Amino acid sequence: MNIILFGPPGAGKGTQADKIVKNFNLYKISTGDLLREEIKNNTALGEKIKSKIDRGLLVSDDIINNLIIKILSKKKYYNSIIFDGYPRNLDQAKNLDLLVKKYHQKISCALNLNADKKTLINRILGRLVCTKCGLIFNKNFNPPVKKEYKCNLKHLTTRMDDKEETISNRFEAYAKKTLPILNYYADQKILHKVDGTREISQIYDEIRSIIASLET
Ligand code: AMP
């Protein structure tokens, strides 16, 4: 099955996706992570992407669609993807449907994770990401503990766009471009609402039972 994790910045999509891949036979595909990788390569494309991410704006659909084709066409990922942060607008959602059909796959559900704005902002400003293993933690709500985090603490960094100046643009892009997708998946009857204000483990328990019910 392929699953979409949908929600505003700071909703906990990446954190939940990491927990899902640990327990289900799925791969996390975060377009944000793929774009940040491209920036690291110091290419012209990377520069273009960086200028958008730095301002909290969406990267162009062409760039995103190219990344997604590469993933969906790989045997390794066949019907076993959890999308984190993709699709981000209606055109991307429609393009995803075309690609899924083309590669004989299916979107089984879209999980809509949400929380109030104050919680989202606190989570964004406290977020820590490991540059080595990619795991996500939070200074205030989910600090790294030895049991879960095996890398050296020096690898923990803050994301370049997790700053006050870009937050309002990111919320605006979400409200204007991303939110309209919800109706698209509601019409397809694959949308599930999940209360993202709770603790990580409580949210995950709900998500796990939704995914388990899809398998049967
Ligand atoms: P994320 O890691 O999902 O929070 O994404 C970080 C930034 O990457 C976003 O603010 C956008 O600038 C860009 N981005 C990530 N995914 C997409 C997407 N599917 N479409 C357009 N831009 C994206």
Side-chain angles (χ1 to χ4, degrees), residues 31-32 35-36 53 57-59 64 85-86 88 92 159 161:
T31 40
L35 295 169
R36 284 182 284 274
I53 294 187
L57 305 175
L58 292 188
V59 170
I64 300 295
Y86 170 83
R88 276 297 225 278
Q92 289 183 13
R159 266 173 47 174
D161 55 341

Side-chain angles (χ1 to χ4, degrees), residues 102-116:
K102 179 173 174 190
Y103 293 106
H104 311 289
Q105 301 183 43
K106 164 175 179 203
I107 304 289
S108 300
C109 82
L111 296 165
N112 178 23
L113 202 57
N114 208 347
D116 58 278

Side-chain angles (χ1 to χ4, degrees), residues 1-116:
M1 74 181 92
N2 293 307
I3 294 172
I4 292 168
L5 257 182
F6 187 92
K13 301 184 294 293
T15 302
Q16 293 298 329
D18 287 339
K19 287 180 91 67
I20 295 165
V21 296
K22 245 172 120 181
N23 290 284
F24 292 89
N25 215 2
L26 298 172
Y27 295 94
K28 166 174 140 176
I29 297 298
S30 152
T31 40
D33 285 349
L34 294 173
L35 295 169
R36 284 182 284 274
E37 274 305 308
E38 196 63 50
I39 294 175
K40 273 196 210 153
N41 294 340
N42 276 327
T43 57
L45 179 62
E47 268 303 306
K48 212 167 149 185
I49 292 169
K50 185 172 183 302
S51 83
K52 293 283 186 183
I53 294 187
D54 271 347
R55 287 179 287 154
L57 305 175
L58 292 188
V59 170
S60 80
D61 288 349
D62 283 353
I63 294 175
I64 300 295
N65 292 341
N66 281 337
L67 290 174
I68 295 296
I69 287 174
K70 279 188 206 151
I71 302 286
L72 277 174
S73 57
K74 277 206 183 105
K75 243 193 192 153
K76 173 181 168 186
Y77 298 118
Y78 180 80
N79 253 339
S80 48
I81 296 173
I82 172 122
F83 288 108
D84 162 13
Y86 170 83
R88 276 297 225 278
N89 62 34
L90 211 45
D91 283 341
Q92 289 183 13
K94 288 178 180 168
N95 188 61
L96 174 61
D97 273 350
L98 290 177
L99 289 174
V100 155
K101 253 194 207 133
K102 179 173 174 190
Y103 293 106
H104 311 289
Q105 301 183 43
K106 164 175 179 203
I107 304 289
S108 300
C109 82
L111 296 165
N112 178 23
L113 202 57
N114 208 347
D116 58 278

Side-chain angles (χ1 to χ4, degrees), residues 112-166:
N112 178 23
L113 202 57
N114 208 347
D116 58 278
K117 207 157 180 180
K118 196 170 158 224
T119 304
L120 298 173
I121 292 174
N122 283 336
R123 284 185 186 160
I124 293 171
L125 294 178
R127 174 157 47 196
L128 295 169
V129 185
C130 177
T131 50
K132 222 173 159 201
C133 69
L135 281 180
I136 304 162
F137 297 96
N138 193 290
K139 278 180 223 166
N140 311 312
F141 312 109
N142 179 32
V145 286
K146 274 203 179 119
K147 199 176 131 220
E148 278 178 70
Y149 185 58
K150 308 291 178 210
C151 303
N152 192 304
L153 288 175
K154 71 177 182 196
H155 297 297
L156 287 175
T157 55
T158 45
R159 266 173 47 174
M160 63 181 177
D161 55 341
D162 280 349
K163 49 188 186 222
E164 307 247 9
E165 308 89 90
T166 50

